[in-house]
Amino acid sequence: MEAQEGTQQPHLVLANKLFLLSHSDVPDIEKVQLREEVFASVKADDMAPLYETLVAESVLELDQGVMDSMRAKHQEELRKLDEKIADAEENLGESEEKALEQLKVMESRTVAVGQKMDLVFYTLQLGFFYMDFHLISKSIDKAKNYLFEEGGDWERKNHLKVYEGLYCMSTRNFKKAADLFLDSISTFTTYGIFPYDIFIFYTVLTSIISLDRVVDPLEILTVIGKIPYLTEFLNSLYDCQYKSFFKAFAGLTEQIKLDRYLHPHFCYYMREIRTVIYSQFLESYKSVTIEAMALHCKIAKVAGVLETNHPDAKNSLYQATIKQGVFLLNRIQKLSRVIDREMRNGTQELRRISKVGQKTKPS
């Protein structure tokens, strides 16, 4: 059921492209290319129902000729399947046409636990295509029952760890996801759901916010350099170089936002990673000034949180101008008060001299 090394299942690649088409942060010029690729995939595999759905949602434009061609192929394929189903019902009993129902039938008639596990893995892939977490959870439980009751080979056990880790990460259980991913690093062969470098990306991200230790298996260190910013992200945390850490994290945010499994948890992950950094930084000190933390923020004492802000260059220049202007006005006002005081003193002195002169004037 798994693809060869480095190749992801085509329907999961298609699912990711459909996700990117719906994402507001993806530039329009890239969406043009994505639409062409999605249409090519739909056309190549005669996905008429999916094509109808995408046309109805205005993701793709309707090409009636292509639609009619796909429907004609479906009718011919259904005719052939009807003949096979009729033969199967006569010799093997009832059968169903829908994908999940067919998988259940095949599973019930399969004896070998390895083949049953393969059918469950395919069901899991369907679940991840539609992000149907109920189906995914049920399938994982079923696979565990097979392994517990009937045993299973070592490779399929490792596959299940990766599927379950992806499910845990997609449902915000980062601690369990990190443990499962780390257990699978040296035995990873589940290329059907994502490439190995993406697997390492998920492993590092989930580990940093959920584990007390820094992840450093050799397998991670040999691959981590292929993913932009990930090396700096991991090493700067270990070296307590927080400025470098946040720069690297800023570079990773775009990849997190455009990941169909991590995107729903983006804001949560941002909060958690800050908590990790603040906790590590403050652990060595009894008290720390905000200036020492080099943060643009204010303290919400009631809520007990630091609210950060990121002023741009224009805003900083504006604030500096206002500050200098206020300083200048204060100096002018102070100078004005000094001049007024000196003028009053001078006037009083002139009056005193005038009075003295009048007293000494000869009569």
Side-chain angles (χ1 to χ4, degrees):
M1 296 300 297
E2 291 302 328
Q4 297 298 318
E5 181 172 353
T7 59
Q8 190 177 6
Q9 290 289 352
H11 57 279
L12 293 181
V13 175
L14 177 60
N16 189 60
K17 291 178 180 178
L18 291 173
F19 166 74
L20 293 176
L21 276 174
S22 67
H23 204 294
S24 59
D25 288 346
V26 177
D28 291 339
I29 189 65
E30 292 185 17
K31 288 186 177 180
V32 172
Q33 179 66 27
L34 285 169
R35 285 191 182 92
E36 293 177 357
E37 294 174 0
V38 167
F39 179 70
S41 298
V42 169
K43 183 179 177 180
D45 292 332
D46 297 318
M47 301 178 185
L50 179 60
Y51 187 35
E52 291 177 350
T53 300
L54 296 177
V55 169
E57 295 176 352
S58 300
V59 177
L60 297 178
E61 295 182 356
L62 176 62
D63 186 324
Q64 193 60 51
V66 172
M67 179 67 78
D68 293 341
S69 174
M70 288 194 292
R71 285 173 175 169
K73 291 179 181 178
H74 277 205
Q75 292 298 323
E76 177 63 20
E77 191 65 26
L78 286 173
R79 184 188 64 78
K80 294 178 181 178
L81 288 174
D82 286 339
E83 295 177 356
K84 293 181 179 180
I85 289 172
D87 179 68
E89 288 177 344
E90 181 179 349
N91 296 285
L92 298 174
E94 293 186 353
S95 182
E96 300 291 340
E97 293 182 14
K98 295 181 180 180
L100 288 177
E101 293 174 349
Q102 284 288 350
L103 286 170
K104 291 177 182 178
V105 172
M106 293 172 64
E107 187 180 336
S108 66
R109 294 174 179 169
T110 300
V111 176
V113 64
Q115 294 175 336
K116 288 184 177 181
M117 290 286 291
D118 287 342
L119 293 173
V120 173
F121 290 148
Y122 191 78
T123 304
L124 283 168
Q125 291 176 14
L126 289 176
F128 281 115
F129 181 87
Y130 293 105
M131 298 300 275
D132 185 341
F133 295 125
H134 178 67
L135 175 62
I136 295 170
S137 178
K138 286 177 56 180
S139 300
I140 290 174
D141 290 340
K142 183 182 293 184
K144 288 182 177 179
N145 288 335
Y146 286 149
L147 291 175
F148 179 75
E149 295 174 2
E150 305 179 37
D153 62 87
W154 172 80
E155 184 175 3
R156 288 184 175 90
K157 289 181 180 179
N158 291 326
H159 286 175
L160 182 59
K161 286 182 181 179
V162 178
Y163 279 106
E164 186 177 5
L166 181 58
Y167 167 70
C168 291
M169 185 185 74
S170 302
T171 54
R172 204 177 286 183
N173 188 350
F174 293 120
K175 173 65 169 63
K176 188 172 182 181
D179 290 335
L180 289 167
F181 286 156
L182 286 170
D183 285 344
S184 308
I185 285 181
S186 60
T187 57
F188 179 85
T189 56
T190 319
Y191 301 102
I193 50 175
F194 40 61
Y196 188 61
D197 57 341
I198 298 300
F199 170 69
I200 295 299
F201 175 69
Y202 292 154
T203 303
V204 172
L205 290 186
T206 55
S207 298
I208 280 184
I209 66 170
S210 58
L211 301 181
D212 294 332
R213 67 186 187 278
V214 176
V215 291
D216 58 353
L218 180 61
E219 292 83 359
I220 286 183
L221 300 180
T222 56
V223 177
I224 194 172
K226 298 179 181 179
I227 305 169
Y229 302 105
L230 197 59
T231 300
E232 297 85 350
F233 182 69
L234 183 60
N235 291 342
S236 59
L237 177 64
Y238 180 79
D239 295 332
C240 300
Q241 300 295 323
Y242 303 113
K243 181 178 179 180
S244 299
F245 179 88
F246 278 109
K247 283 185 177 180
F249 183 56
L252 287 173
T253 53
E254 191 70 14
Q255 189 169 349
I256 297 173
K257 287 167 63 177
L258 296 180
D259 187 281
R260 66 189 296 254
Y261 303 111
L262 290 171
H263 171 73
H265 316 295
F266 176 73
C267 292
Y268 173 83
Y269 192 86
M270 290 284 288
R271 291 194 300 269
E272 290 299 303
I273 201 66
R274 289 180 179 182
T275 301
V276 170
I277 294 302
Y278 296 156
S279 299
Q280 178 172 307
F281 179 76
L282 295 171
E283 186 176 1
S284 302
Y285 302 93
K286 183 176 181 180
S287 63
V288 180
T289 63
I290 296 299
E291 290 79 6
M293 295 179 70
L295 295 174
H296 296 286
C297 66
K298 61 181 180 179
I299 299 176
K301 189 173 182 180
V302 176
V305 296
L306 291 172
E307 297 179 358
T308 62
N309 57 76
H310 303 280
D312 54 25
K314 288 184 178 180
N315 188 39
S316 299
L317 182 60
Y318 173 78
Q319 295 296 334
T321 303
I322 294 296
K323 185 176 180 180
Q324 292 173 3
V326 171
F327 176 75
L328 178 60
L329 287 174
N330 290 336
R331 294 297 298 272
I332 291 174
Q333 290 175 354
K334 184 176 180 180
L335 178 62
S336 177
R337 288 194 296 268
V338 171
I339 292 174
D340 289 343
R341 185 173 65 250
E342 292 298 326
M343 289 182 66
R344 287 195 300 269
N345 293 338
T347 301
Q348 292 174 358
E349 183 65 20
L350 287 173
R351 289 175 180 174
R352 187 184 66 78
I353 293 174
S354 176
K355 288 180 180 180
V356 171
Q358 291 176 359
K359 290 179 180 180
T360 57
K361 185 176 180 180
S363 55

